[in-house]
Short mmCIF file of all heavy atoms in Angstrom, two decimals:
data_model
loop_
_atom_site.label_atom_id
_atom_site.label_comp_id
_atom_site.label_asym_id
_atom_site.label_seq_id
_atom_site.Cartn_x
_atom_site.Cartn_y
_atom_site.Cartn_z
N ALA A 196 205.04 90.18 204.41
CA ALA A 196 204.68 91.12 203.35
C ALA A 196 203.19 91.11 203.13
O ALA A 196 202.56 90.05 203.13
CB ALA A 196 205.41 90.74 202.06
N PRO A 197 202.58 92.29 202.96
CA PRO A 197 201.14 92.33 202.74
C PRO A 197 200.78 91.68 201.41
O PRO A 197 201.56 91.71 200.46
CB PRO A 197 200.84 93.83 202.73
CG PRO A 197 202.13 94.48 202.34
CD PRO A 197 203.20 93.61 202.93
N ARG A 198 199.61 91.08 201.35
CA ARG A 198 199.14 90.46 200.12
C ARG A 198 198.02 91.31 199.54
O ARG A 198 197.23 91.92 200.27
CB ARG A 198 198.61 89.05 200.40
CG ARG A 198 199.58 88.13 201.15
CD ARG A 198 200.93 88.00 200.44
NE ARG A 198 200.79 87.47 199.10
CZ ARG A 198 201.79 87.34 198.24
NH1 ARG A 198 203.01 87.76 198.57
NH2 ARG A 198 201.59 86.83 197.05
N PRO A 199 197.92 91.38 198.22
CA PRO A 199 196.84 92.16 197.61
C PRO A 199 195.48 91.55 197.94
O PRO A 199 195.38 90.36 198.25
CB PRO A 199 197.13 92.04 196.11
CG PRO A 199 198.56 91.60 196.01
CD PRO A 199 198.81 90.78 197.23
N PRO A 200 194.43 92.35 197.90
CA PRO A 200 193.09 91.82 198.14
C PRO A 200 192.78 90.68 197.18
O PRO A 200 193.18 90.71 196.02
CB PRO A 200 192.18 93.04 197.88
CG PRO A 200 193.06 94.22 198.13
CD PRO A 200 194.43 93.80 197.70
N ALA A 201 192.06 89.69 197.68
CA ALA A 201 191.78 88.50 196.87
C ALA A 201 190.93 88.82 195.66
O ALA A 201 191.00 88.12 194.64
CB ALA A 201 191.11 87.43 197.74
N ASN A 202 190.11 89.88 195.74
CA ASN A 202 189.22 90.20 194.63
C ASN A 202 189.87 91.09 193.57
O ASN A 202 189.20 91.54 192.65
CB ASN A 202 187.95 90.87 195.16
CG ASN A 202 188.27 92.19 195.87
OD1 ASN A 202 189.42 92.46 196.18
ND2 ASN A 202 187.23 92.97 196.14
N LEU A 203 191.17 91.35 193.69
CA LEU A 203 191.86 92.21 192.73
C LEU A 203 192.35 91.36 191.56
O LEU A 203 193.14 90.44 191.74
CB LEU A 203 193.05 92.91 193.41
CG LEU A 203 193.58 94.18 192.75
CD1 LEU A 203 192.51 95.25 192.68
CD2 LEU A 203 194.81 94.70 193.49
N SER A 204 191.86 91.64 190.36
CA SER A 204 192.22 90.85 189.17
C SER A 204 193.65 91.17 188.72
O SER A 204 194.24 92.18 189.10
CB SER A 204 191.25 91.14 188.03
OG SER A 204 191.40 92.48 187.57
N ARG A 205 194.20 90.29 187.87
CA ARG A 205 195.54 90.51 187.35
C ARG A 205 195.58 91.76 186.46
O ARG A 205 196.59 92.46 186.42
CB ARG A 205 196.01 89.30 186.55
CG ARG A 205 196.24 88.06 187.43
CD ARG A 205 196.81 86.91 186.61
NE ARG A 205 198.12 87.22 186.04
CZ ARG A 205 199.26 87.07 186.69
NH1 ARG A 205 199.27 86.63 187.94
NH2 ARG A 205 200.42 87.35 186.10
N ARG A 206 194.50 92.03 185.75
CA ARG A 206 194.46 93.25 184.93
C ARG A 206 194.52 94.49 185.81
O ARG A 206 195.20 95.46 185.48
CB ARG A 206 193.20 93.25 184.07
CG ARG A 206 193.19 92.19 182.96
CD ARG A 206 191.92 92.28 182.15
NE ARG A 206 191.88 91.24 181.13
CZ ARG A 206 190.86 91.04 180.30
NH1 ARG A 206 189.78 91.82 180.39
NH2 ARG A 206 190.90 90.07 179.40
N ALA A 207 193.80 94.45 186.93
CA ALA A 207 193.82 95.59 187.84
C ALA A 207 195.22 95.77 188.44
O ALA A 207 195.71 96.89 188.58
CB ALA A 207 192.79 95.40 188.94
N LYS A 208 195.87 94.63 188.79
CA LYS A 208 197.23 94.72 189.32
C LYS A 208 198.18 95.31 188.27
O LYS A 208 199.05 96.13 188.58
CB LYS A 208 197.71 93.34 189.75
CG LYS A 208 196.95 92.74 190.92
CD LYS A 208 197.44 91.33 191.21
CE LYS A 208 196.63 90.66 192.30
NZ LYS A 208 197.07 89.28 192.55
N ALA A 209 198.01 94.88 187.02
CA ALA A 209 198.86 95.40 185.95
C ALA A 209 198.65 96.90 185.77
O ALA A 209 199.60 97.67 185.58
CB ALA A 209 198.56 94.68 184.64
N ALA A 210 197.38 97.34 185.88
CA ALA A 210 197.09 98.77 185.75
C ALA A 210 197.76 99.56 186.87
O ALA A 210 198.29 100.66 186.65
CB ALA A 210 195.58 99.00 185.75
N ILE A 211 197.75 99.01 188.09
CA ILE A 211 198.37 99.69 189.23
C ILE A 211 199.88 99.80 189.02
O ILE A 211 200.49 100.86 189.24
CB ILE A 211 198.06 98.94 190.54
CG1 ILE A 211 196.56 99.05 190.86
CG2 ILE A 211 198.88 99.49 191.70
CD1 ILE A 211 196.12 98.20 192.04
N VAL A 212 200.51 98.71 188.58
CA VAL A 212 201.96 98.72 188.38
C VAL A 212 202.34 99.71 187.28
O VAL A 212 203.30 100.49 187.41
CB VAL A 212 202.46 97.30 188.04
CG1 VAL A 212 203.92 97.34 187.60
CG2 VAL A 212 202.30 96.38 189.23
N VAL A 213 201.61 99.70 186.17
CA VAL A 213 201.91 100.62 185.06
C VAL A 213 201.77 102.06 185.51
O VAL A 213 202.62 102.91 185.21
CB VAL A 213 200.99 100.32 183.86
CG1 VAL A 213 201.10 101.42 182.81
CG2 VAL A 213 201.36 98.97 183.24
N ARG A 214 200.69 102.35 186.24
CA ARG A 214 200.48 103.72 186.72
C ARG A 214 201.62 104.15 187.65
O ARG A 214 202.11 105.28 187.57
CB ARG A 214 199.14 103.81 187.46
CG ARG A 214 198.83 105.18 188.02
CD ARG A 214 198.75 106.23 186.94
NE ARG A 214 198.37 107.53 187.48
CZ ARG A 214 198.25 108.63 186.75
NH1 ARG A 214 198.49 108.58 185.46
NH2 ARG A 214 197.91 109.76 187.32
N LEU A 215 202.04 103.24 188.52
CA LEU A 215 203.13 103.55 189.44
C LEU A 215 204.42 103.83 188.68
O LEU A 215 205.13 104.80 188.98
CB LEU A 215 203.33 102.38 190.42
CG LEU A 215 204.50 102.50 191.40
CD1 LEU A 215 204.34 103.73 192.28
CD2 LEU A 215 204.63 101.25 192.24
N LEU A 216 204.73 103.00 187.69
CA LEU A 216 205.95 103.19 186.90
C LEU A 216 205.90 104.50 186.11
O LEU A 216 206.90 105.21 186.00
CB LEU A 216 206.15 102.01 185.95
CG LEU A 216 206.48 100.66 186.63
CD1 LEU A 216 206.53 99.55 185.58
CD2 LEU A 216 207.80 100.75 187.37
N LEU A 217 204.75 104.82 185.56
CA LEU A 217 204.61 106.08 184.82
C LEU A 217 204.79 107.28 185.75
O LEU A 217 205.40 108.29 185.36
CB LEU A 217 203.25 106.15 184.13
CG LEU A 217 203.02 105.16 182.98
CD1 LEU A 217 201.59 105.28 182.45
CD2 LEU A 217 204.02 105.44 181.85
N ASN A 218 204.26 107.18 186.98
CA ASN A 218 204.44 108.27 187.94
C ASN A 218 205.92 108.48 188.28
O ASN A 218 206.35 109.59 188.58
CB ASN A 218 203.67 107.96 189.22
CG ASN A 218 202.20 108.31 189.10
OD1 ASN A 218 201.75 108.74 188.04
ND2 ASN A 218 201.44 108.09 190.15
N GLU A 219 206.69 107.36 188.25
CA GLU A 219 208.11 107.45 188.56
C GLU A 219 208.94 107.88 187.36
O GLU A 219 210.16 107.96 187.42
CB GLU A 219 208.62 106.09 189.07
CG GLU A 219 208.00 105.64 190.38
CD GLU A 219 208.34 106.57 191.52
OE1 GLU A 219 209.46 107.14 191.50
OE2 GLU A 219 207.50 106.76 192.42
N GLY A 220 208.27 108.15 186.22
CA GLY A 220 208.98 108.64 185.03
C GLY A 220 209.53 107.56 184.13
O GLY A 220 210.34 107.85 183.24
N ALA A 221 209.11 106.30 184.33
CA ALA A 221 209.62 105.21 183.50
C ALA A 221 209.03 105.30 182.09
O ALA A 221 207.88 105.69 181.91
CB ALA A 221 209.28 103.86 184.12
N ASP A 222 209.86 104.96 181.10
CA ASP A 222 209.42 104.95 179.71
C ASP A 222 209.03 103.51 179.34
O ASP A 222 209.89 102.68 179.07
CB ASP A 222 210.53 105.46 178.79
CG ASP A 222 210.09 105.55 177.33
OD1 ASP A 222 208.86 105.47 177.09
OD2 ASP A 222 210.95 105.67 176.45
N ILE A 223 207.73 103.22 179.34
CA ILE A 223 207.25 101.86 179.10
C ILE A 223 206.74 101.76 177.66
O ILE A 223 205.82 102.49 177.28
CB ILE A 223 206.11 101.50 180.07
CG1 ILE A 223 206.51 101.84 181.51
CG2 ILE A 223 205.74 100.04 179.95
CD1 ILE A 223 205.39 101.64 182.51
N PRO A 224 207.32 100.87 176.85
CA PRO A 224 206.88 100.74 175.44
C PRO A 224 205.57 99.97 175.32
O PRO A 224 205.52 98.86 174.79
CB PRO A 224 208.05 99.99 174.79
CG PRO A 224 208.62 99.17 175.89
CD PRO A 224 208.46 99.98 177.14
N LEU A 225 204.49 100.55 175.82
CA LEU A 225 203.21 99.87 175.79
C LEU A 225 202.72 99.66 174.36
O LEU A 225 201.91 98.75 174.10
CB LEU A 225 202.17 100.68 176.57
CG LEU A 225 202.45 100.85 178.08
CD1 LEU A 225 201.38 101.73 178.70
CD2 LEU A 225 202.49 99.49 178.77
N GLU A 226 203.20 100.47 173.42
CA GLU A 226 202.75 100.32 172.03
C GLU A 226 203.20 99.01 171.42
O GLU A 226 202.67 98.57 170.38
CB GLU A 226 203.26 101.49 171.18
CG GLU A 226 204.78 101.55 170.98
CD GLU A 226 205.48 102.27 172.10
OE1 GLU A 226 204.81 102.61 173.09
OE2 GLU A 226 206.69 102.48 171.98
N ASP A 227 204.19 98.34 172.05
CA ASP A 227 204.64 97.05 171.54
C ASP A 227 203.71 95.91 171.92
O ASP A 227 203.82 94.81 171.37
CB ASP A 227 206.06 96.74 172.06
CG ASP A 227 207.11 97.70 171.51
OD1 ASP A 227 206.82 98.33 170.48
OD2 ASP A 227 208.20 97.80 172.10
N LEU A 228 202.80 96.15 172.86
CA LEU A 228 201.85 95.12 173.26
C LEU A 228 200.80 94.92 172.17
O LEU A 228 200.51 95.85 171.40
CB LEU A 228 201.15 95.51 174.56
CG LEU A 228 201.99 95.56 175.84
CD1 LEU A 228 201.14 96.12 176.98
CD2 LEU A 228 202.50 94.17 176.19
N PRO A 229 200.19 93.74 172.08
CA PRO A 229 199.06 93.56 171.16
C PRO A 229 197.95 94.56 171.47
O PRO A 229 197.77 94.98 172.62
CB PRO A 229 198.62 92.11 171.43
CG PRO A 229 199.83 91.43 171.99
CD PRO A 229 200.56 92.50 172.78
N GLU A 230 197.20 94.93 170.46
CA GLU A 230 196.19 95.97 170.63
C GLU A 230 195.13 95.57 171.67
O GLU A 230 194.65 96.43 172.43
CB GLU A 230 195.52 96.28 169.29
CG GLU A 230 196.42 97.02 168.31
CD GLU A 230 195.64 97.52 167.11
OE1 GLU A 230 194.40 97.40 167.11
OE2 GLU A 230 196.28 98.04 166.18
N ASP A 231 194.77 94.27 171.73
CA ASP A 231 193.75 93.88 172.70
C ASP A 231 194.25 94.04 174.13
O ASP A 231 193.49 94.43 175.03
CB ASP A 231 193.30 92.44 172.45
CG ASP A 231 194.47 91.45 172.47
OD1 ASP A 231 195.61 91.90 172.27
OD2 ASP A 231 194.23 90.25 172.67
N LEU A 232 195.55 93.77 174.37
CA LEU A 232 196.10 93.97 175.71
C LEU A 232 196.18 95.45 176.05
O LEU A 232 195.96 95.84 177.21
CB LEU A 232 197.48 93.33 175.81
CG LEU A 232 197.52 91.80 175.74
CD1 LEU A 232 198.94 91.29 175.93
CD2 LEU A 232 196.60 91.20 176.81
N GLN A 233 196.54 96.29 175.06
CA GLN A 233 196.56 97.73 175.31
C GLN A 233 195.16 98.22 175.70
O GLN A 233 195.01 99.05 176.62
CB GLN A 233 197.04 98.48 174.06
CG GLN A 233 198.49 98.20 173.68
CD GLN A 233 198.93 99.05 172.49
OE1 GLN A 233 198.68 100.25 172.44
NE2 GLN A 233 199.58 98.41 171.52
N ALA A 234 194.16 97.70 175.01
CA ALA A 234 192.78 98.11 175.31
C ALA A 234 192.36 97.64 176.70
O ALA A 234 191.75 98.39 177.48
CB ALA A 234 191.83 97.55 174.25
#
C-alpha cells in the first residue's frame, strides 16, 4: 500500500479525508468539534 509523503502533517491528512468525505456526500458533524480544531 502506498504511504503518504513524509512531509504531510496530520492536519493536512485530516483536511484531505474531510474533503473526500464531503465530496462523497457524507454528513460530517464538524460543528461538534472544539472551535480551535474547526479553525
Side-chain angles (χ1 to χ4, degrees):
R198 307 304 300 175
N202 61 346
L203 200 61
S204 67
R205 292 184 63 85
R206 291 181 182 177
K208 295 176 184 178
I211 293 173
V212 170
V213 169
R214 179 61 176 179
L215 176 60
L216 293 175
L217 292 176
N218 278 3
E219 296 297 327
D222 184 13
I223 310 174
L225 297 177
E226 67 274 7
D227 294 340
L228 293 174
E230 289 190 7
D231 56 339
L232 292 183
Q233 295 184 46

